[in-house]
């Protein structure tokens, strides 16, 4: 891995890529390159060692079986833990979000998580499926979150994690809050290529990992159009 470039790792595309999660890698790389930031991207499969020297790690959504396997392999590997202790940023989505916590349920069985976010997930009575919208924690300085959710689990936050957003449509963690953040780790139930609908989150990750206070604005006409369309489709909570 080069030390000159911004290094972005997509964790386990063979297990956690149910909803086009590669989009987040493409969007981050494109938004960095558009600002003249050299980028290297890595797709690390579950039979490979997890590098600990990257700047941003992306972990996506998945079904219960692959989710449980991914958690076991990441726990055994330890590379992601090292990277986070060294200051890496993380975007985690749905199954990837749940498995960063202390525990989660897969196929009715309680599984150990990575303990990197102070959250745990249990089973909901219903599956949460549909448009998700929320007002993001003002400390992050971001516009409202928009996404699509599809999960059976419900997530509860401990005192060392803050909600990413307050739900205004959909379910998120529990119908009240959505996602979590702590340090430079973000977790959300907004599915798959969440950064296509939330490019400001991509820029936050780029700022965290480059130390830049601000980034040159980009033409976000298409994502603004998509955001407007999806906000109109979201049914208020
Ligand atoms: N298996 C998890 C759940 O149903 C995560 C699902 C997902 O990533 N869509 O809660």
């Amino acid at each position: 891995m080069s030390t000159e470039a911004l290094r972005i790792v997509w964790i386990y595309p063979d297990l956690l890529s149910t909803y086009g999660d590669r989009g987040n890698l493409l969007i981050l790389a494109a938004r960095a390159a558009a600002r003249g930031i050299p980028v290297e991207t890595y797709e690390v499969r579950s039979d490979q060692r997890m590098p600990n020297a990257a700047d941003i790690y992306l972990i996506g959504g998945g079904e219960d079986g692959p989710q449980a396997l991914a958690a076991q392999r990441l726990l055994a590997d330890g590379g992601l833990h090292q990277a986070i202790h060294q200051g890496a940023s993380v975007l985690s989505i749905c199954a990837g979000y749940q498995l960063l916590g202390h525990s989660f349920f897969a196929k009715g069985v309680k599984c150990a998580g990575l303990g990197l976010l102070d959250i745990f997930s249990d089973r909901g009575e219903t599956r949460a499926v549909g448009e998700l919208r929320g007002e993001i924690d003002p400390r992050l300085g971001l516009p409202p979150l928009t996404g699509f959710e599809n999960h059976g689990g419900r997530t509860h936050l401990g005192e060392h994690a803050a909600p990413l957003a307050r739900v205004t449509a959909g379910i998120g963690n529990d119908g009240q809050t959505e996602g979590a953040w702590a340090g430079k780790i973000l977790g959300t139930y907004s599915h798959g290529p969440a950064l296509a609908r939330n490019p400001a989150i991509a820029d936050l990750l780029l700022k965290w990992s480059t130390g830049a206070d601000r980034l040159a604005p980009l033409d976000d006409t298409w994502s603004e159009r998509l955001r407007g369309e999806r906000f109109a489709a979201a049914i208020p909570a």
Side-chain angles (χ1 to χ4, degrees):
M1 282 192 169
S2 150
T3 51
E4 308 293 307
L6 183 75
R7 296 150 296 186
I8 309 173
V9 165
W10 180 22
I11 299 173
Y12 296 173
D14 53 323
L15 296 179
L16 299 172
S17 179
T18 306
Y19 298 85
D21 295 80
R22 176 177 275 109
N24 292 324
L25 185 68
L26 299 176
I27 289 165
L28 265 178
R31 294 182 79 83
R35 272 68 173 247
I37 302 167
V39 192
E40 288 176 1
T41 62
Y42 301 88
E43 300 190 7
V44 180
R45 296 174 58 87
S46 61
D47 59 355
Q48 296 175 310
R49 289 298 311 271
M50 185 54 57
N52 62 14
D55 302 291
I56 303 178
Y57 290 78
L58 304 173
I59 181 162
E63 291 160 16
D64 285 18
Q67 177 183 19
L69 188 56
Q72 282 168 16
R73 293 196 174 173
L74 286 167
L75 268 172
D77 182 281
L80 182 61
H81 290 76
Q82 290 164 12
I84 290 173
H85 289 131
Q86 291 163 21
S89 306
V90 181
L91 174 66
S92 63
I93 307 248
C94 204
Y97 165 49
Q98 292 179 357
L99 71 78
L100 289 191
H102 303 298
S103 62
F104 62 93
F105 276 83
K107 296 192 171 176
V109 176
K110 188 174 179 181
C111 303
L114 275 57
L116 292 166
L117 257 182
D118 187 14
I119 62 168
F120 71 93
S121 301
D122 54 17
R123 286 167 288 187
E125 284 173 10
T126 56
R127 215 171 159 80
V129 184
E131 289 294 318
L132 177 62
R133 179 188 171 149
E135 294 298 326
I136 294 186
D137 186 331
R139 289 174 292 174
L140 294 174
L142 299 173
L145 178 84
T146 167
F148 186 85
E149 62 183 334
N150 181 0
H151 53 102
R154 296 293 187 275
T155 297
H156 311 278
L157 276 55
E159 62 182 271
H160 301 295
L164 178 63
R166 186 174 52 78
V167 169
T168 52
I171 304 290
N173 293 325
D174 58 1
Q176 303 293 317
T177 68
E178 145 53 16
W181 71 285
K184 291 194 260 178
I185 305 178
L186 296 175
T188 178
Y189 274 113
S190 173
H191 244 307
L195 299 181
R197 287 168 70 153
N198 302 279
I201 295 181
D203 287 355
L204 178 68
L205 291 165
L206 293 177
K207 284 186 207 159
W208 278 349
S209 52
T210 61
D213 285 339
R214 59 181 303 279
L215 296 169
L218 300 179
D219 178 359
D220 282 328
T221 306
W222 284 102
S223 57
E224 285 304 328
R225 204 174 285 182
L226 176 62
R227 287 172 64 78
E229 184 186 293
R230 300 326 301 165
F231 282 144
I235 300 162

